[in-house]
Amino acid sequence: MSRFRALWQASLNATKKALTWSAEDLIPPSERYIFSFNSKEELKKWHLYSDSEYGGLSSASLEIRDAGNGSKGIFSGKLSLDVAEDSKWNITRSGFCGMRSKKFDGFIDLDAYDTIALKVKGDGRCYISTEHTLVQIYTENWVNSPGQQEDNSWQAFVFMPKDNWYITKIPLTRYLPTWRGNVIDADLEMNPSRIVGMSLSVNAEGGVPGARSGPGDFQMEIDWIKALRTQ
């Protein structure tokens, strides 16, 4: 009988808790921080990459600086189109750098959201064709094949003004499936409930009139990255 009473009480408590749920418990908040660049601990969540992995001479750094109005992330470096003479890779030009988040602990579920937002400040350089920053999202593979270890990559391009803080919003519907930098011509849909990572990158080539392009220094300041529910 005591076991029955315990089960009954547990059921009753669960029912009472369900009845007292508020709308906030049932509806996710309108925004969710994914990354906030406000401490050096944040740097442990990211790693850098560049064409130097393939014989190029570009370089990048990521640090946290206190600008007097709070800490911000600084993604900066130098883009070079040159290739090391002793490179074992068969490439003739280089000129890219990026920062990619380390894989989340499992994955994050953004199914309740429809937009990725970033608060950033550019430097007048054109980031990946037409003065854009390349923002990538990585999801688990569509097919869990033993021979397919790379995550799916989804890319979108966003405008970044010079010298002013700007909040750019990218609907998830604008992300295109890619394979090693090339857009996949296939009818595929992102699964926002299985996000495993994100990245930002910059390329020396491409641009619009008046924008900086070509080899040289670059710098992007980052305050935060959020997921938004706009509908």
Side-chain angles (χ1 to χ4, degrees):
M1 182 63 69
S2 59
R3 179 178 298 180
F4 174 80
R5 288 177 179 173
L7 290 172
W8 172 259
Q9 187 62 48
S11 177
L12 183 61
N13 291 340
T15 301
K16 288 180 178 180
K17 183 176 181 180
L19 293 175
T20 58
W21 277 348
S22 65
E24 293 184 355
D25 295 318
L26 300 174
I27 302 176
S30 59
E31 62 180 43
R32 172 181 175 178
Y33 276 98
I34 303 175
F35 297 103
S36 182
F37 294 83
N38 56 9
S39 71
K40 292 184 178 181
E41 284 295 310
E42 186 72 18
L43 301 185
K44 297 179 181 179
K45 301 177 182 178
W46 298 85
H47 66 82
L48 298 168
Y49 62 90
S50 72
D51 55 45
S52 62
E53 300 174 22
Y54 307 98
L57 299 177
S58 299
S59 60
S61 66
L62 178 62
E63 58 183 323
I64 298 293
R65 295 182 191 169
D66 189 340
N69 57 348
S71 297
K72 303 293 187 294
I74 308 293
F75 172 49
S76 62
K78 187 173 183 178
L79 297 168
S80 173
L81 298 178
D82 297 328
V83 178
E85 294 182 359
D86 59 351
S87 173
K88 64 180 181 180
W89 298 91
N90 185 25
I91 61 173
T92 58
R93 304 190 77 176
S94 55
F96 70 88
C97 293
M99 51 182 280
R100 179 173 178 174
S101 68
K102 297 177 182 179
K103 277 197 172 184
F104 301 130
D105 185 11
F107 55 86
I108 62 172
D109 185 351
L110 299 182
D111 193 45
Y113 301 93
D114 56 72
T115 300
I116 298 295
L118 304 90
K119 185 177 180 181
V120 292
K121 183 194 291 186
D123 60 356
R125 178 178 284 278
C126 187
Y127 286 77
I128 308 300
S129 75
T130 67
E131 199 173 0
H132 289 65
T133 295
L134 174 63
V135 182
Q136 291 184 212
I137 289 179
Y138 300 93
T139 59
E140 288 189 333
N141 295 323
W142 296 293
V143 180
N144 292 320
S145 169
Q148 172 68 23
Q149 300 299 322
E150 295 187 40
D151 300 315
N152 299 141
S153 173
W154 302 77
Q155 298 180 358
F157 300 88
V158 294
F159 175 74
M160 186 178 298
K162 177 183 178 181
D163 294 335
N164 292 308
W165 283 106
Y166 177 72
I167 297 177
T168 182
K169 299 178 180 180
I170 317 165
L172 291 180
T173 54
R174 278 180 48 192
Y175 282 87
L176 300 174
T178 63
W179 171 254
R180 297 182 179 178
N182 298 311
V183 175
I184 298 173
D185 185 15
D187 186 15
L188 300 171
E189 292 186 4
M190 179 195 298
N191 181 359
S193 67
R194 311 285 288 192
I195 305 297
V196 297
M198 301 183 69
S199 74
L200 300 168
S201 63
V202 58
N203 195 314
E205 297 185 301
V208 295
R212 290 181 58 202
S213 62
D217 297 336
F218 71 90
Q219 177 173 297
M220 179 200 310
E221 296 183 58
I222 316 169
D223 193 348
W224 46 252
I225 300 175
K226 296 179 181 178
L228 305 179
R229 192 178 72 251
T230 64
Q231 300 176 2

